[in-house]
Each structure stands twice: as C-alpha cells, then as structure tokens.
Amino acid sequence: MAIILVQGPEEILAERAIATEIEKIRSKDNQAVVSKFSADEIEPGMISDALAPSLFSQSRVLVIKQVQDVAAECVTEIENYLENLDPDLTLVIWHKGGVKGKGLVDKLKKAKAEVIPAAEIKSSADKKSFVQSEFKKNKRNVTADAVVALVNAIGSDLRELASICEQLSSD
C-alpha cells in the first residue's frame, strides 16, 4: 500500500502521526492486522517475518519505531523489502533524526515514502502554537494570555501541555 516515514524527535507528534496512519488503514479495513516494534525489541528475522506476504491477502500495517537504533541486519531486511513492496502492507517507520540510520531514510525517500515531520518543539513561540492548535483541535477558543499562562505554568513537556489542553477543553 504505502511507505510512511515519520521523521523527527518529538515523541507525541510521532505517536499521533503513527496512530493517524493506523486509523486511516482501519477505516478502510477494520480487520487490518497491526504489528508494532520498537528498536530495542527487534531481533534479526522479525522484520522479514512481519513483512512476508499474508496468506489471507488481508491489509496489514507494520510500525517500526526508533529505526535509527535498529541493528544493521534488520535494516537490511527493510531495504530488501523496499525492492519488492507488498500491496497489502503499509510500512510506517519512525526515525528520530540525526545521522544514525540516515542511509535507510534516504532509501525510504527514494522509494517515495510519504514523509510526516515530527520536529522538536523547543521555542516558546512553537509551544504557544502547539497549545493553540490543541485547543483548535478540540474546537475551543483560547486567548493569547491563557496560552502564555499555560506554557509558563507547565513548561516544555508537550504531553503535559496536550493533557492540560484536553482537560480544559472538556471542562
């Protein structure tokens, strides 16, 4: 089906992007099989097994998180798959960024992967924009002063900011 590359270190944005891609597949096929792996749990052969065509021609999603930390043998398994894509499989890969694993990222892009950014949110302006988008996502209005107060009170933890925005939106 597709190759999705989530690129960037911001965990909450990466997790949301992955969840959105899974939802897209499941909206078309609620029987789709989803397999998720983190780099620290992958051993050689696991990726090849997960990438092997299904005997039942069902939709599948394979998520590989933190691919920059995957062993070289496992990277080779992914690269081999890129040469013979399965139309029933959506491959979702999260790369946190940096030089480590860049060769695979380049190959994914060459294979026409859809790239979804998960850029790190550091600046105060970016955090404010994030808070505003959280309220907008929840169909709520928020004043600029309230956004500043939230960012100043909570700090830089985006999960906490998102959680507070969700809680305030539902109250």
Side-chain angles (χ1 to χ4, degrees):
M1 279 180 166
I3 303 170
I4 311 295
L5 173 62
V6 179
Q7 194 169 21
E10 200 61 67
E11 188 172 339
I12 188 169
L13 299 180
E15 291 291 340
R16 285 180 176 179
I18 291 167
T20 298
E21 293 305 316
I22 291 170
E23 285 177 32
K24 283 182 192 176
I25 300 300
R26 288 227 166 113
S27 71
K28 296 174 191 170
D29 179 0
N30 64 356
Q31 300 295 321
V33 175
V34 178
S35 302
K36 294 181 186 179
F37 297 108
S38 292
D40 60 348
E41 63 189 16
I42 297 175
E43 296 178 11
M46 289 175 71
I47 293 175
S48 290
D49 287 346
L51 291 170
S54 169
L55 296 174
F56 306 106
S57 296
Q58 64 192 123
S59 298
R60 296 172 299 130
V61 181
L62 174 59
V63 177
I64 303 173
K65 298 178 182 179
Q66 301 152 349
V67 76
Q68 73 282 347
D69 296 327
V70 170
E73 301 90 357
C74 300
V75 169
T76 301
E77 294 175 36
I78 298 168
E79 292 171 344
N80 290 339
Y81 170 76
L82 296 177
E83 296 172 12
N84 189 20
L85 301 176
D86 181 348
D88 295 323
L89 178 86
T90 299
L91 178 61
V92 181
I93 293 184
W94 174 27
H95 183 270
K96 284 187 164 186
V99 178
K100 195 174 177 184
K102 187 174 179 330
L104 176 60
V105 168
D106 292 342
K107 289 180 181 177
L108 291 165
K109 289 179 179 178
K110 187 176 179 183
K112 304 203 184 328
E114 176 188 344
V115 179
I116 300 172
E120 188 171 12
I121 296 178
K122 291 183 183 180
S123 74
S124 180
D126 288 345
K127 290 176 199 157
K128 291 173 190 173
S129 178
F130 175 79
V131 168
Q132 288 171 330
S133 69
E134 288 297 295
F135 278 103
K136 187 175 182 179
K137 179 182 81 173
N138 292 317
K139 297 177 176 67
R140 298 287 186 213
N141 293 324
V142 64
T143 66
D145 289 341
V147 170
V148 170
L150 276 174
V151 170
N152 289 340
I154 303 302
S156 61
D157 188 333
L158 288 188
R159 284 201 190 277
E160 283 188 41
L161 281 171
S163 177
I164 292 294
C165 292
E166 178 74 29
Q167 184 177 356
L168 290 171
S169 294
S170 65
D171 286 347

